[in-house]
Amino acid sequence: MAYMGDDVLDVPIIERAGLSACPADASQDVRSRVDYVCRAGGGNGAARELVELVLKTQDRWQALLAGHDAAPGQTLTGADRETARHEVPTH
């Protein structure tokens, strides 16, 4: 489980998470305990940054982008559809 927090109330969960992160403007007490400190601040793209990092690490980012290649109202077919399809991990 990944978790992002920015203040001392988040520390107990941060310490239990498989991947812990915080926005750039988190308290120093949190920044010193997490696995990843985002470049973006809270409310300015930190959550998106973490999601992108996780998807790229799992080699799922390109498949996500491929799913957006279809024109509005169309669906992908054939090889494009297979590229975009992925299973959600169960662990």
Side-chain angles (χ1 to χ4, degrees), residues 27-72:
S27 75
Q28 183 56 40
D29 293 317
V30 171
R31 291 171 56 93
S32 66
R33 287 174 168 83
V34 297
D35 300 311
Y36 181 77
V37 177
C38 294
R39 291 181 299 267
N44 290 307
R48 186 205 183 280
E49 182 180 334
L50 179 61
V51 168
E52 184 174 337
L53 173 74
V54 169
L55 291 174
K56 284 181 175 179
T57 301
Q58 294 175 343
D59 291 325
R60 295 171 59 195
W61 184 250
Q62 291 304 317
L64 175 75
L65 295 178
H68 293 286
D69 287 342

